[in-house]
Amino acid sequence: MEIIVLTLFPEMFTGILNESILKRAIADGQLSVRLVNFRDFANDKHKTVDDYPFGGGAGMLLKPAPLFEAIRHIQSESSGPAGRVVLMTPQGKPFTQKLAQDFAQESRLVLVCGHYEGFDERVRQELVTDEVSIGDFVLTGGEIPAMAVIDAVARLLPGVLGNEESAEDDSYTSGLLEYPQYTRPAVYEGLAVPDVLLSGNHKRIAEWRHVHALYRTWVRRPDLLRTYAMSEKDKEYISRWERGDFKDIDVFDRYHELKRVSDPID
Ligand code: ADE
């Protein structure tokens, strides 16, 4: 997959692209990332990319021309489909694991990072196919959101994660948050790992993990359960928890109390 990033600050990306799994994915050819500074496409001699908003108001806006020209240039280089052009903006659609999976199916993705106060609306209208937000907070630019998208998408590309790092158990992939995990030693400073995980009984371990993933999701993110396909048994667990019966639970969640007072499941 090829990801092209339009940014005024290409150097911000060198760290993440040169470490760990992304570095390996690029070296192995599963991912290629091209950083394009769209200031190079500004059509005046000072290479201006921003200007004052018509109608007044604080701040500057990115002018349409450098972004239009940069994208036209990219599209003219390849004979294939134009591909998705994704604008990073706090006004966008929330970035989720599902959207990451969707993007991972594409052969090419163009990520547009803004700075300053915003974009000329014609960029939205004519140039981009998607607008994406990484959360309800405002960053100084789209570079960090673009890095989050690159990272989340790259690890879903075939061959990028080894079996040991598999994405299947990730929180969100299954629709539930991940269950609690432990490694050696079995007792650390008096804190013991739940017995079942040491039992070697794979069926019981799988059930324990499922119940604790369900419980953790119920406590922390009950909103996710609205779209999760619950089994009859899952429903039984939840109604027990609703009644205050937690005998199935070995590892109480730090947000257990908070949930019960603030967001009872209906
Ligand atoms: N640009 C600034 N803040 C952003 C956010 N939360 N998501 C995506 N792009 C942004």
Side-chain angles (χ1 to χ4, degrees):
M1 172 183 213
E2 182 184 28
I3 300 182
I4 300 172
V5 186
L6 297 189
T7 170
L8 296 171
F9 302 97
E11 274 145 38
M12 286 178 73
F13 291 81
T14 46
I16 66 145
L17 298 177
N18 287 296
E19 298 288 348
S20 182
I21 290 171
L22 294 186
K23 179 182 183 179
R24 192 177 69 197
I26 291 167
D28 293 351
Q30 290 120 349
L31 174 69
S32 93
V33 179
R34 223 164 101 199
L35 300 165
V36 175
N37 188 336
F38 58 87
R39 190 180 293 282
D40 296 340
F41 293 86
N43 49 15
D44 65 306
K45 83 169 187 286
H46 299 293
K47 299 279 177 205
T48 324
V49 290
D50 59 331
D51 208 337
Y52 295 99
F54 279 125
M60 304 284 270
L61 297 180
L62 287 175
K63 290 152 63 82
L67 284 168
F68 271 71
E69 294 301 321
I71 296 217
R72 287 208 183 108
H73 174 77
I74 290 163
Q75 287 171 344
S76 72
E77 288 173 333
S78 77
S79 50
R84 284 165 91 161
V85 178
V86 183
L87 183 68
M88 311 314 303
T89 162
Q91 300 178 22
K93 175 172 168 180
F95 187 57
T96 57
Q97 192 64 22
K98 180 159 182 318
L99 194 52
Q101 280 159 351
D102 203 20
F103 285 162
Q105 305 300 312
E106 304 283 330
S107 55
R108 193 172 74 176
L109 213 53
V110 178
L111 304 180
V112 182
C113 307
H115 256 265
Y116 310 96
E117 296 294 311
F119 304 88
D120 184 287
E121 189 64 20
R122 290 164 289 192
V123 170
R124 287 206 159 84
Q125 285 168 345
E126 293 294 320
L127 221 48
V128 307
T129 58
D130 300 84
E131 299 185 33
V132 168
S133 165
I134 63 157
D136 292 345
F137 44 83
V138 179
L139 298 168
T140 55
E143 283 75 13
I144 290 171
M147 290 180 212
V149 170
I150 294 170
D151 193 281
V153 170
R155 61 194 291 289
L156 298 176
L157 299 175
V160 167
L161 294 189
N163 279 346
E164 302 224 327
E165 304 155 326
S166 157
E168 276 163 33
D169 281 346
D170 289 343
S171 291
Y172 300 112
T173 303
S174 70
L176 298 178
L177 301 184
E178 227 178 335
Y179 45 79
Q181 304 212 70
Y182 298 86
T183 185
R184 284 183 287 186
V187 180
Y188 180 70
E189 296 199 346
L191 302 167
V193 173
D195 285 340
V196 54
L197 299 178
L198 312 176
S199 70
N201 181 332
H202 295 295
K203 195 157 170 275
R204 280 186 60 220
I205 291 170
E207 179 63 13
W208 186 94
R209 287 180 166 164
H210 174 71
V211 171
H212 284 75
L214 184 69
Y215 164 70
R216 179 158 283 185
T217 311
W218 177 77
V219 170
R220 297 186 179 209
R221 293 292 307 277
D223 56 304
L224 297 178
L225 295 179
R226 283 183 208 120
T227 48
Y228 179 70
M230 265 192 261
S231 68
E232 287 309 308
K233 206 152 174 215
D234 291 343
K235 289 179 194 159
E236 273 170 43
Y237 282 122
I238 289 189
S239 66
R240 281 221 279 280
W241 301 337
E242 292 294 347
R243 294 194 307 267
D245 173 357
F246 294 99
K247 69 173 185 302
D248 312 296
I249 300 304
D250 291 331
V251 185
F252 274 87
D253 196 278
R254 65 146 30 108
Y255 296 118
H256 184 97
E257 294 303 324
L258 184 67
K259 183 230 147 51
R260 292 175 62 203
V261 294
S262 65
D263 190 11
I265 266 199
D266 45 25

